[in-house]
Amino acid sequence: MNSQIAITLLGTGGGRFATITQKRRTAGIRIISEGLNMHLDPGPGALIYSIREGLNPQKLSAVFVSHCHPDHYTDAEVLIEAMTKGTTKKRGVLVASKSVLHGNELGFDPVISRYHQQMPERVVEALPNTKFQVGNINVLVTEARHTDPDTVGFRFETLEFGDFAYSSDTEYFEGIGKYYEGVRLLVLCVMRPAGKPWKGHMTTNDAIKIIEEAHPEQAVLTHFGMQMIFKGPTREAKLVEEETGVPTIAAADGMQIRFAETVDVQKSRKAQQGINKFF
Ligand SMILES: [Zn+2]
Ligand SMILES: [Zn+2]
């Protein structure tokens, strides 16, 4: 069998200012395997860049939303409409944090309407340390510590090729490395460069600690905030690689990762490196 998992970083920007300026796209991550077509954290631009990169949103079978911030959720409803063939078919799965589905006491309202929550065939409330299956992938919901306290990350376990994971927005905390121990590919949301800590968010220094604990085969930094963009994510990735010895790259908009017997990174022909010139 020659199946593989194709991971497309449709967006690599994160945080308010990267989002409102679109210095980097905020379209989230598309993950396509033989049995699954999943969009992870569809922020502003997810619908547009899916179509632009030739990834038909009507083929989606899962939409994952890690928390209640706009750079992660804004396009979730339109993608659910695409997944359900314009709401004519009850299909697919929606996986979302408690805050995304129900809101929470911190003032976050549900960000996917009850109407849209009824459209998928299945809705999974992603609570830390729970497990469920989508397609042929087992998903472990990992803990995150962020300004939306219900934020979660995801560890995807495949039978054929081992595991890959996505941290979502989180700060470093004791035990975070355990969640990602032994994954082959670790995608970290590194909002801030080294030496610029911000509560609830990850810096390059934090990424180094997590990678040292988890020892992935390949690390990918993404979800860059303004300070990170201006500092230069490629330089920060190099720093991580030098410190940890783990191959580490800074994601670029449109970058594709082929996850199979090996983990290969290709920059898309359509990708624009660095500044998003579309706007
Ligand atoms: Zn974010
Ligand atoms: Zn956030």
Side-chain angles (χ1 to χ4, degrees):
M1 264 222 292
N2 195 26
S3 58
Q4 59 166 44
I5 297 169
I7 300 168
T8 306
L9 291 135
L10 287 172
T12 59
R16 284 164 290 179
F17 292 100
T19 303
I20 60 183
T21 59
Q22 288 291 300
K23 289 282 184 212
R24 291 279 185 123
R25 303 176 191 167
T26 48
I29 302 175
R30 188 67 150 269
I31 300 166
I32 301 176
S33 71
E34 225 172 55
L36 191 66
N37 190 322
M38 151 174 49
H39 203 112
L40 180 53
D41 278 353
L47 177 69
I48 289 172
Y49 287 113
S50 288
I51 292 168
R52 209 162 163 239
E53 294 284 340
L55 302 172
N56 186 351
Q58 295 182 53
K59 291 191 173 160
L60 281 171
S61 53
V63 174
F64 279 57
V65 187
S66 69
H67 67 289
C68 233
H69 286 152
D71 51 336
H72 298 258
Y73 74 70
T74 60
D75 280 12
E77 289 177 345
V78 282
L79 289 190
I80 290 169
E81 291 187 5
M83 180 169 77
T84 58
K85 308 288 176 206
T87 77
T88 61
K89 279 210 168 93
K90 210 171 166 68
R91 65 182 288 276
V93 54
L94 167 65
V95 176
S97 69
K98 176 175 163 273
S99 51
V100 166
L101 296 176
H102 309 298
N104 64 28
E105 50 297 330
L106 277 184
F108 291 108
D109 288 326
V111 291
I112 298 175
S113 71
R114 276 176 294 137
Y115 171 74
H116 287 89
Q117 289 186 35
Q118 286 165 12
M119 290 172 189
E121 211 172 359
R122 182 158 71 114
V123 177
V124 177
E125 185 177 324
L127 298 169
N129 302 304
T130 58
K131 269 192 167 189
F132 57 92
Q133 193 172 358
V134 280
N136 46 6
I137 293 180
N138 275 314
V139 183
L140 167 70
V141 182
T142 61
E143 193 185 337
R145 296 199 187 156
H146 187 44
T147 45
D148 169 2
D150 296 318
T151 305
V152 292
F154 299 103
R155 177 173 178 144
F156 300 98
E157 304 171 351
T158 78
L159 268 180
E160 240 179 324
F161 306 124
D163 301 358
F164 60 97
Y166 167 76
S167 68
S168 191
D169 282 328
T170 181
E171 63 185 24
Y172 175 84
F173 57 91
E174 190 139 352
I176 187 172
K178 269 260 173 271
Y179 283 107
Y180 303 116
E181 212 165 45
V183 296
R184 293 187 59 214
L185 169 69
L186 181 56
V187 180
L188 295 175
C189 288
V190 189
M191 180 90 85
R192 289 266 181 132
K196 296 281 179 187
W198 184 21
K199 201 172 166 28
H201 298 79
M202 198 188 298
T203 63
T204 302
N205 310 96
D206 301 325
I208 288 169
K209 285 199 272 182
I210 297 170
I211 291 167
E212 275 175 344
E213 290 173 20
H215 282 293
E217 187 179 313
Q218 170 79 52
V220 174
L221 315 185
T222 189
H223 209 62
F224 307 129
M226 259 338 196
Q227 294 196 30
M228 184 69 163
I229 292 167
F230 287 126
K231 195 80 191 279
T234 305
R235 257 180 48 190
E236 296 289 302
K238 215 169 167 207
L239 182 69
V240 174
E241 189 170 304
E242 282 164 9
E243 291 284 321
T244 63
V246 172
T248 303
I249 51 160
D253 288 340
M255 180 182 270
Q256 287 196 335
I257 301 165
R258 183 179 164 275
F259 184 81
E261 290 86 6
T262 56
V263 181
D264 304 305
V265 179
Q266 304 154 331
K267 285 183 183 161
S268 150
R269 270 183 296 119
K270 291 177 188 168
Q272 299 143 339
Q273 274 217 60
I275 303 296
N276 183 5
K277 295 189 182 67
F278 187 59
F279 289 89

